[in-house]
Amino acid sequence: MSALLLLFVCLLLGVAVARFGRPPAGIVPGINWWVIDIALPALILQLLPQVRFEAQLWFPAVSMWLVVGGAWVLMALAGRWRGWSRHRIGALVLVGGVGNTAFMGYPMVQALRGADGLPLAVVADQLGSFAALSTLGIVVASIYAGRKAQAAEVLRRVFTFPPLLALAAGIVVGLAGGWPASVDGVLHAIGTTMTPLALFSVGMQLRLKPERHQWSAAALGLGWKLLLAPLLCLLLGRLAGVQGEVLAVGVLQAAMAPMITAAILADQYGLEPPLANTVLGVGIVLSLATVPLWNHALG
């Protein structure tokens, strides 16, 4: 509950500062840089070495990739049919495809499924959502931002993306036995800055009421992220014979609201930031009801 309270407080603080305060120029890009290039890699480096892998753990990770891939296919087809701009399609792929599986996913999974579900949530987050954001997310952002980058340039952006470098390093460190306690403490302290700063940044840009021309796009993005994507993952799990907590946590993580970092990435690449932040804000509010409903349906 304290984690969810922190979410609301930081969002509301950002909204209040944007409306009534006098923040310095460039504060949002500065915060976004810290979140993506410093705090998020530190969080990955701290958590990933603690994960212990088992056979069925493919499902939570693969489910997150399925959500991103499905979003890309759906938004591209809808965009062609509706005549949407490339920036709009790219924004919807990012915020409709990458879930908030960390600082919403961790506390909600722990609250709904107990402490045993938390390691599974970390697998879905680190090897699923963050890995997908660090690779497919950069590719999508580059393509739909209209930057005429060659394949080598896109690959350079992918393989120099700090969270992806942290992901690779975290796997190596985990295989080597983990961090010393002192290093783990430093990484934890830096990583804890991610949640309040990211939520504050989003709060400063938050829009809960789409413009009239954004309604259909926002509805499609949220309908996929909160309803269709978890349903697809549930069907995949059933067909593959996945059961118990592994199935439940994979579906719940697929049902989480859009990832804040995905909206920040859309903002950095100029992919219709107002729409991305609207889908993000509305998705966070709605997911507080839809995720518990999914948990009830899973039993």
Side-chain angles (χ1 to χ4, degrees):
M1 291 304 296
S2 61
L4 296 179
L5 180 61
L6 175 65
L7 184 151
F8 280 111
V9 169
C10 292
L11 276 174
L12 292 176
L13 186 59
V15 172
V17 169
R19 183 169 182 179
F20 304 110
R22 294 181 179 178
I27 185 173
V28 170
I31 291 175
N32 292 350
W33 176 87
W34 173 268
V35 167
I36 290 181
D37 289 1
I38 304 296
L40 176 55
L43 186 66
I44 293 172
L45 285 170
Q46 192 234 337
L47 290 178
L48 192 58
Q50 302 173 19
V51 175
R52 298 296 174 260
F53 297 97
E54 299 175 5
Q56 282 197 339
L57 290 186
W58 66 268
F59 175 71
V62 170
S63 295
M64 304 306 105
W65 287 86
L66 180 63
V67 175
V68 178
W72 196 346
V73 172
L74 178 62
M75 303 311 165
L77 292 175
R80 180 177 299 180
W81 175 50
R82 297 298 303 273
W84 289 341
S85 68
R86 294 175 61 85
H87 288 184
R88 170 165 292 189
I89 296 172
L92 289 174
V93 174
L94 289 177
V95 295
V98 188
N100 195 337
T101 51
F103 43 80
M104 281 195 73
Y106 293 171
M108 291 192 77
V109 167
Q110 187 169 17
L112 296 171
R113 307 302 301 190
D116 291 342
L118 191 55
L120 301 173
V122 172
V123 171
D125 176 54
Q126 300 293 298
L127 300 184
S129 298
F130 276 133
L133 179 72
S134 302
T135 52
L136 277 182
I138 296 297
V139 172
V140 167
S142 299
I143 291 174
Y144 287 98
R147 302 182 181 182
K148 297 181 179 180
Q150 301 298 320
E153 175 64 15
V154 174
L155 289 175
R156 184 191 67 79
R157 291 175 185 167
V158 169
F159 289 108
T160 58
F161 191 48
L164 182 62
L165 299 177
L167 183 67
I171 293 174
V172 173
V173 171
L175 294 174
W179 298 106
S182 58
V183 175
D184 186 81
V186 171
L187 292 173
H188 174 74
I190 297 174
T192 55
T193 65
M194 175 182 166
T195 298
L197 287 177
L199 291 167
F200 177 79
S201 173
V202 170
M204 291 192 67
Q205 307 168 76
L206 190 60
R207 288 177 175 82
L208 292 178
K209 184 178 180 181
E211 300 293 336
R212 180 170 297 181
H213 67 281
Q214 295 176 343
W215 272 108
S216 61
L220 181 63
L222 290 168
W224 167 257
K225 187 68 198 72
L226 302 180
L227 300 175
L228 296 178
L231 177 60
L232 181 62
C233 292
L234 177 60
L235 294 175
L236 170 65
R238 295 292 191 196
L239 291 174
V242 180
Q243 298 177 351
E245 289 302 296
V246 176
L247 176 68
V249 172
V251 173
L252 290 180
Q253 286 286 60
M256 291 296 162
M259 183 189 283
I260 292 173
T261 314
I264 291 175
L265 189 63
D267 180 65
Q268 288 184 331
Y269 279 77
L271 298 174
E272 200 164 341
L275 174 63
N277 283 284
T278 295
V279 173
L280 173 66
V282 175
I284 288 174
V285 174
L286 291 179
S287 69
L288 296 176
T290 58
V291 173
L293 286 175
W294 273 109
N295 183 65
H296 177 73
L298 289 164

